[in-house]
Amino acid sequence: MEKKIYILAGGPVENVPDLGEYANDKEAVWAGVDRGVFHLLEQGIIPRIAFGDFDSVSEAEWMMIRSRLENIRKSQPEKDETDMELALMWAISQEPETIRIFGATGGRADHAFTNILLLAHEKCLQFKGKIEIIDRKNEITMLKPGSYTIEKMESFPYVSFLPITETVENLTLSGFKYPLLNCRVERGTTLCVSNELIRDFGTFSFSSGILMMVRSHD
């Protein structure tokens, strides 16, 4: 099984971080989604697999994709799953340690929200590794109840915790500028937005609910 799977979706390229630091990762396998496949090829990255109905690429771009890739899972536009969901479920089935998703935010709000909420899919929550969405300003993960340790990152100094379920119970934050102790946080409140780590490492825990963690920079 692969250690890492990187997925590039078809979101606006100006929102995609520099892929150069990821492109040379020998432990990673790439997958492309729809127009993201074309963007990977433009950067000299050959994905192992491609997903999509490819209605967002031109005929010339589609011909280039077909000529460069062997494993293309082309789907019909009319289907129950999005192309991103198909790619993510495939990645989970490979049982890697880490899945990183790029090009999943920016552009259409419905696409961005759908991609983010995919991380709350039961298969994603039960996945034993780490799944994260990364763009130029954010790193997004979805968490089930438990205890966690996070490292201070200069690239993403701000940390926000957003309940996805109606409530998150007993949220405790230690090593943060604004600590909490066994706090009940309701969905839609802004209590846990834009916190910061004051030590090299911080810890947090909660007993029930689903929590989205967003690490950001200005």
Side-chain angles (χ1 to χ4, degrees):
M1 296 297 179
E2 308 299 340
K3 284 193 173 183
K4 302 174 186 176
I5 294 179
Y6 296 163
I7 302 172
L8 181 61
V13 292
E14 58 268 21
N15 214 41
V16 176
D18 182 4
L19 298 181
E21 62 180 290
Y22 303 99
N24 295 322
D25 191 339
K26 303 300 184 183
E27 295 182 334
V29 166
W30 285 87
V33 179
D34 211 80
R35 188 165 183 80
V37 182
F38 176 71
H39 292 318
L40 284 175
L41 294 176
E42 278 192 315
Q43 297 198 39
I45 301 172
I46 309 297
R48 177 174 294 182
I49 188 169
F51 296 84
D53 52 36
F54 297 99
D55 59 356
S56 62
V57 300
S58 68
E59 184 63 28
E61 291 166 345
W62 169 238
M63 294 300 293
M64 186 185 83
I65 291 170
R66 287 184 59 187
S67 69
R68 301 287 299 278
L69 301 184
E70 294 182 2
N71 194 357
I72 301 174
R73 299 193 181 182
K74 193 171 189 295
S75 56
Q76 295 297 321
E78 300 81 11
K79 56 185 181 301
D80 293 334
E81 306 90 352
T82 64
D83 298 327
M84 185 67 243
E85 182 177 355
L86 293 172
L88 181 53
M89 293 303 112
W90 168 83
I92 289 173
S93 74
Q94 304 306 298
E95 300 181 357
E97 295 175 3
T98 302
I99 299 172
R100 292 190 172 116
I101 303 168
F102 310 94
T105 57
R108 284 178 52 173
D110 56 341
H111 286 178
F113 284 131
T114 297
N115 290 334
I116 291 169
L117 290 176
L118 264 179
L119 302 189
H121 191 291
E122 187 62 26
K123 288 186 178 179
C124 294
L125 294 174
Q126 296 303 322
F127 178 63
K128 294 181 180 179
K130 182 179 183 180
I131 305 175
E132 53 193 8
I133 291 175
I134 302 173
D135 61 29
R136 286 189 180 271
K137 289 186 175 291
N138 308 282
E139 177 186 279
I140 303 168
T141 53
M142 206 74 69
L143 303 163
K144 59 184 181 180
S147 298
Y148 301 87
T149 299
I150 62 171
E151 184 176 3
K152 188 174 184 178
M153 298 172 62
E154 296 300 326
S155 55
F156 294 117
Y158 304 110
V159 187
S160 296
F161 297 98
L162 309 173
I164 295 299
T165 47
E166 186 173 348
T167 62
V168 164
E169 302 290 344
N170 299 310
L171 179 60
T172 296
L173 308 178
S174 178
F176 288 81
K177 184 177 181 179
Y178 307 110
L180 287 176
L181 179 61
N182 296 329
C183 186
R184 183 177 192 264
V185 185
E186 296 182 353
R187 183 174 57 208
T189 60
T190 59
L191 173 66
C192 299
V193 173
S194 201
N195 210 331
E196 297 177 60
L197 286 161
I198 57 174
R199 303 172 187 164
D200 290 339
F201 291 89
T203 62
F204 65 95
S205 62
F206 60 104
S207 62
S208 67
I210 303 300
L211 197 63
M212 179 169 65
M213 181 174 69
V214 182
R215 308 193 67 169
S216 306
H217 69 82
D218 287 329

